[in-house]
Amino acid sequence: MIIIFHLASSKVILNFSGESELQSILREIRRRNVTGLQWLASEAWATAKSLWEEFDDLLTGTLGFGIRRADVIPGLKEYLNRLTPSNIHESAFLAEFLEETFNCRLNSSANTHSHGVNYLDRKPCNGMEDLDDVYSPYSDVTQLRVSYNVYKAVYLVAHALQDMSNCIAGQGPFLNGTCGDPTNIKPWQLLHYMKRVTFSTLGEKVIFDQNGDPIASYDLMNWQRGHDGSLQLVKVGFYDASPLINDSAIQWPVGKQAVRSVCSDSCPPGTRVARRKGEPFCCFDCVTCAEGEVSNDTDSLDCSRCSEDMWPNEARDLCIPKAIEFLSYYESMGMVLCAVSVLGACTSISILAIFFTHKDTPLVRANNMELSFLLLLFLAICFLIGLLFIAEPSDWLCRIRYPAFGISFAPCISCLLAKTVVVLMAFRATLPGSDVMKWFGPNQQRASVLLCTAIQGLICLIWLLTNPPYANHNTGYLSATIIIECATGSEAGFWCVLGYIGFLACTCFLMAFLARKLPDNFNEARFITFSMLIFFAVWITFIPVYVSTAGKYTVAVHIFAILASAFGLLFCIFAPKCYIIILRPEKNSKKNMMRK
């Protein structure tokens, strides 16, 4: 055990033993030169002054639980000091006590023991010996602890006998209301009354709990060295169900602060205790709570997980609401995309106004004026569709966003496809005997645009009726952020919408590629071919980026693809025409249109 004391990091020793056992321990501790220990004493030796003479250097600063002390028991000191040689011949114990105290020999003594010296060598007692003249533990009434317990016990029995004597027959606590008989006391009956006694003595109230046990009550004693080196037992607090300690009154073994006796410091909030294998219970490591977990108590054994909409703060001792993320009009990226969308729509409307103003000029009439007007109108709608992708998603907004995107681009590509077919049919109609143009006049062109758009609308309708898009709170992608996004509902529905636009664009590109080298200046097939190449580049790039991103950046990529493809169509198809109409009006003539 002493080896453990020597090697352990603990500096506080709680000892439950008697004085004799403790003396052996203290001698071995001194031999091994173990110092700086803080002793905590049980009531068995908390006030044992006999230990101080030999082990004062080891026991200075000891704290102990002492049995409650009475300041004075009336008449006790006088009673003890009443013993004289003349009245103790009958008791061998008292005779031995008096002879050892005064180192004398009583005549006709009942004592047969001698300690240290020959009994016959002692001088005879003269009968004038007085206990008031010497100090002895027998007559010391400064530490009335066990004696005080005996005093209270006697009063307890007295009160119990009094209650038994006052019992009224028929109203007693026993069977059929019987009472105990004070002249024939039965222990179990007396114990019954003792458990229920409540009385006060010397300023202390004596009571018992429901089990008949007395309330634990102790004085907290501190072993302090006096100026002359003597032991001073100083009361520094008391224990009565809970401790009350006056720290400032305590004398510690080393220094002026309490001895720290820990193998490991306490784990602060935000961490948990991890026991060290093979080491004492008080030895542990503090492990930071895992991601998504918190602990708000000191020395917590486990961390608790935050709910799905909460996340730990930096200290990991409190769950706080997660940040909400979506593309908003109030952030810079949302503002820029919104401004570009409105700019694109205004540009489309402005070009439409220019074309309408010059609708009677050869350039506008030669490039299928009605389809040009429809294309510009649908392009303006495409630009404005981007605004639906900004702001906090909701179920109704998600169910409008994706179908509107698909249905707005379908007529744009359909108009370009119709334009390309018109170019091809126009040159085929110049061949002798060809009447193909009567099968692709203005009505057929409008019908083709309507049909292609209706197919896209049917795909969107089936999508909305089966598994529509909805607003989703994504808590799994970013740990500390809730991403509010539009889930497609049916992935097949989304890719069918995108795939149908791709099919129209491929068909348009093939037609335009075939017609790119046909003569005449009004042939816009080469512009359509170039616009489709830009369209393909944008949307082919969009797919991998869309799949690999999440949150507001996915939405921004989607808006960027819409705006980039719409600007590509707008400028490739209409920029050359606006250049001629506004800056080179002399080329806007029928003669120039027919020149090869």
Side-chain angles (χ1 to χ4, degrees), residues 118-175:
N118 191 328
Y119 178 75
L120 297 176
D121 294 339
R122 288 176 174 172
K123 63 181 181 179
C125 297
N126 57 21
M128 302 300 293
E129 288 81 5
D130 190 348
L131 289 174
D132 280 333
D133 298 334
V134 296
Y135 169 81
S136 71
Y138 168 78
S139 58
D140 184 2
V141 292
T142 61
Q143 295 293 328
L144 297 176
R145 299 183 186 276
V146 176
S147 303
Y148 182 44
N149 270 359
V150 174
Y151 180 82
K152 290 189 291 185
V154 172
Y155 268 90
L156 171 63
V157 174
H159 279 280
L161 290 173
Q162 180 69 36
D163 290 344
M164 183 185 293
S165 301
N166 294 336
C167 179
I168 301 174
Q171 300 179 10
F174 306 120
L175 184 64

Side-chain angles (χ1 to χ4, degrees), residues 272-476:
R272 63 174 179 84
V273 171
R275 305 291 180 195
R276 296 176 186 168
K277 188 175 181 180
E279 296 189 29
F281 184 80
C282 59
C283 296
F284 50 81
D285 294 317
C286 297
V287 179
T288 303
C289 290
E291 189 174 81
E293 296 182 345
V294 298
S295 68
N296 50 18
D297 295 323
T298 301
D299 291 332
S300 178
L301 297 178
D302 295 296
C303 298
S304 57
R305 180 163 290 277
C306 295
S307 59
E308 285 193 356
D309 58 343
M310 307 285 280
W311 191 251
N313 58 359
E314 289 187 7
R316 299 197 178 184
D317 58 359
L318 180 67
C319 289
I320 57 177
K322 288 185 177 181
I324 304 296
E325 179 182 294
F326 59 86
L327 186 59
S328 168
Y329 286 107
Y330 300 104
E331 58 182 296
S332 56
M333 184 165 56
M335 292 179 181
V336 170
L337 293 174
C338 178
V340 175
S341 297
V342 174
L343 176 63
C346 293
T347 304
S348 300
I349 298 300
S350 299
I351 294 175
L352 177 61
I354 292 172
F355 269 53
F356 186 79
T357 303
H358 298 83
K359 62 182 178 180
D360 295 325
T361 61
L363 181 62
V364 177
R365 295 175 61 86
N367 283 280
N368 204 322
M369 179 177 62
E370 186 175 347
L371 288 179
S372 295
F373 288 170
L374 286 175
L375 177 58
L376 287 167
L377 180 62
F378 287 128
L379 282 174
I381 294 174
C382 284
F383 283 115
L384 296 177
I385 289 299
L387 300 178
L388 295 176
F389 287 78
I390 307 176
E392 181 177 352
S394 60
D395 287 342
W396 68 267
L397 183 60
C398 294
R399 290 169 186 173
I400 294 174
R401 178 184 292 180
Y402 288 114
F405 155 70
I407 294 175
S408 63
F409 264 99
C412 291
I413 308 300
S414 300
C415 288
L416 291 177
L417 180 59
K419 277 175 165 285
T420 307
V421 172
V422 168
V423 172
L424 286 174
M425 296 301 105
F427 278 95
R428 183 173 292 276
T430 59
L431 299 176
S434 176
D435 58 351
V436 70
M437 281 304 295
K438 72 178 182 178
W439 299 107
F440 209 76
N443 291 332
Q444 288 79 7
Q445 295 171 27
R446 287 191 291 269
S448 66
V449 172
L450 181 62
L451 177 62
C452 292
T453 306
I455 295 174
Q456 183 74 296
L458 180 62
I459 294 173
C460 293
L461 180 62
I462 295 173
W463 181 12
L464 291 174
L465 292 177
T466 54
N467 192 4
Y470 59 91
N472 177 50
H473 288 64
N474 186 346
T475 59

Side-chain angles (χ1 to χ4, degrees), residues 248-267:
S248 61
I250 297 176
Q251 183 182 98
W252 301 103
V254 179
K256 296 183 178 181
Q257 291 184 338
V259 177
R260 283 183 56 82
S261 179
V262 292
C263 178
S264 302
D265 290 326
S266 294
C267 292

